[in-house]
Amino acid sequence: MALYDDTLSLLRELISNACVNDFTPDSGNEVRNADTLERFFAGTNVRIQRFEPHPTRVSIAFTVDGSDPEAEPLTLLGHTDVVPVDESLWSVDPFGAEIKDGKLYGRGSVDMLFITASMAAATREAARRGTRGTLTFVGLADEEARGGLGAKWISENQPDAFSWRNCLSETGGSRVGVDGLGVNVGEKGAAQRRLTVHGDAGHGSTPFGKDFATVKIGEVARRLAAFEAPVLGDDLWSNFVRSFRFDDATERSLIDGTGDYTNFGRLSAYAHAFSHTTFSQTVLRAGSAINVLPSTAYLELDIRPTPGTSDDEVDEMLRTALGDLADEVTITRLISEPSTLSPTSGPLWDAIVDTYGDLTPGREVVPVCATGGSDLRFARRLGGNGYGFALHTRERDLAEANSQLHSHDEHLYLEDLDLTVQAYDSVVRKLVG
């Protein structure tokens, strides 16, 4: 109970520090949460490293050196920044860390400060008793803005600061299918694109006979909206579908991509994103003056490729979708990052499965792929394994857990905090001793 109480107290302070990342370099101020974490570890035998690539954007690592240099290491990657809030749409103070009806309210309570606090508590306990393998907990800045001043910066500038071989981060352990436990073993990539078209310039008063860039970009948008990429045909997707225990015909149709995704209920959007490279039209620009025909228009796309899909294959999908318009559209690559995937085998995976077996006996562990991004991709790129790990009660399915991410009145069930603290303490003991 003391471990849970300490974790809850730490979590409330992390929330109240309001380390809001608005995607500008001078926001975040994660130094506040770094200082809180350093006080939390006061008096324990840990090595502390601070990373500050930009003023106040502080990441902090706490390492418990193991007694056996040959033993498996473990690194816990928790981020300390949170996304902005619209306070007018909250019924409580978003940084008040208020508890009511068994729930803790606050920005970041679910994404991901409850996991970060659990990691810190499990690491402090390990430091007090000693470990065989080396254990590191890192409170990372700037995850919400893709890690440029956090995990990405460390992986590129100080990659040897700690081990990336076995890493845990957000998120997992909510119900998938009938009674499975989802574990993120990978995440989709990023293939952002700008599609540019050209037309005739001229005065708005004489439109006759003009080739309108705005009309052309509208047709580009329509064709993209009608396009669907091929379904992900691998075991990851097939096993996810099977966890729902549909009848045979429904199962086959969903695995091959011809079925009705509403069969997944509240997880229909997630299931579709999981199984396809997705194209979201997010930015449209044309013109500046109301009486001038713009000669250029562009559309920007947030494209999330499935594992194994290359940049060239993404561009070919776009050309297929555009059809006879393809030669009139310039495709510009913006941010491009490959998808990443870890195996469902090895010492860390076994420790995860054993932990879930101890705490929630009889439940199947279902590997899933995150549709968004996390700091785990940097571990995988450096040759390590990374898994999303937490634990929720049976009542909390993946749809409900995901619904709290970046939401108004974001809240965490305290029973899920209790389970996650136990899960991290267990997996640390199993892997590093």
Side-chain angles (χ1 to χ4, degrees), residues 92-391:
V92 297
D93 177 357
F95 303 105
E98 180 180 339
I99 295 174
K100 60 179 182 180
D101 300 325
K103 294 175 282 189
L104 172 65
Y105 286 79
R107 173 57 86 222
S109 56
V110 175
D111 184 13
M112 66 169 286
L113 296 179
F114 88 101
I115 301 176
T116 301
S118 298
M119 291 172 167
T123 301
R124 191 175 71 170
E125 285 299 299
R128 289 170 172 169
R129 66 177 179 263
T131 61
R132 185 181 70 257
T134 294
L135 171 66
T136 301
F137 158 65
V138 194
L140 290 160
D142 204 37
E143 188 275 345
E144 297 293 357
R146 302 192 68 81
L149 297 172
K152 183 175 187 291
W153 187 91
I154 296 170
S155 70
E156 292 175 348
N157 292 276
Q158 297 189 43
D160 298 325
F162 47 79
S163 173
W164 300 87
R165 188 156 122 196
N166 297 304
C167 293
L168 298 177
S169 190
E170 58 185 346
T171 184
S174 52
R175 194 179 79 250
V176 170
V178 174
D179 197 28
L181 275 167
V183 177
N184 283 335
V185 300
E187 58 191 60
K188 297 176 76 177
Q192 297 176 1
R193 297 292 188 269
R194 178 181 292 137
L195 306 188
T196 305
V197 300
H198 300 282
D200 294 334
H203 199 285
S205 65
T206 53
F208 181 76
K210 295 293 194 299
D211 179 20
F212 282 87
T214 51
V215 173
K216 198 177 297 181
I217 203 67
E219 177 61 13
V220 167
R222 187 195 68 78
R223 293 188 184 192
L224 290 173
F227 176 75
E228 177 131 309
V231 70
L232 175 66
D234 67 359
D235 290 343
L236 196 64
W237 170 241
S238 300
N239 290 334
F240 172 80
V241 174
R242 292 188 181 104
S243 74
F244 286 81
R245 301 177 194 165
F246 296 120
D247 62 83
D248 289 345
T250 300
E251 181 179 284
R252 285 194 301 273
S253 68
L254 291 168
I255 288 174
D256 67 22
T258 62
D260 182 356
Y261 278 80
T262 62
N263 282 297
F264 292 105
R266 296 193 303 165
L267 279 176
S268 57
Y270 169 82
H272 180 270
F274 180 175
S275 58
H276 293 80
T277 293
T278 54
F279 300 79
S280 292
Q281 305 180 36
T282 53
V283 177
L284 180 63
R285 294 283 187 270
S288 58
I290 199 169
N291 63 342
V292 178
L293 301 180
S295 59
T296 301
Y298 69 82
L299 176 66
E300 291 183 346
L301 307 174
D302 180 6
I303 302 173
R304 302 298 176 107
T306 52
T309 302
S310 69
D311 274 320
D312 288 344
E313 288 171 322
V314 168
D315 290 345
E316 186 57 36
M317 287 183 206
L318 289 171
R319 285 189 285 269
T320 298
L322 294 170
D324 59 4
L325 263 181
D327 290 341
E328 298 184 58
V329 179
T330 300
I331 300 173
T332 304
R333 295 180 182 181
L334 305 176
I335 292 176
S336 290
E337 294 183 328
S339 59
T340 60
L341 200 62
S342 293
T344 54
S345 61
L348 179 53
W349 178 258
D350 292 343
I352 291 170
V353 173
D354 290 347
T355 289
Y356 283 152
D358 291 345
L359 296 176
T360 57
R363 300 182 68 183
E364 174 191 12
V365 177
V366 181
V368 297
C369 187
T371 57
S374 79
D375 287 331
L376 288 170
R377 68 187 185 278
F378 303 113
R380 298 190 189 109
R381 287 179 194 169
L382 290 172
N385 294 321
Y387 303 97
F389 182 70
L391 185 56

Side-chain angles (χ1 to χ4, degrees), residues 19-30 54-57 142 149:
C19 296
V20 177
N21 185 349
D22 66 10
F23 312 104
T24 60
D26 293 328
S27 67
N29 292 299
E30 294 93 342
H54 186 85
T56 79
R57 307 306 300 271
D142 204 37
L149 297 172

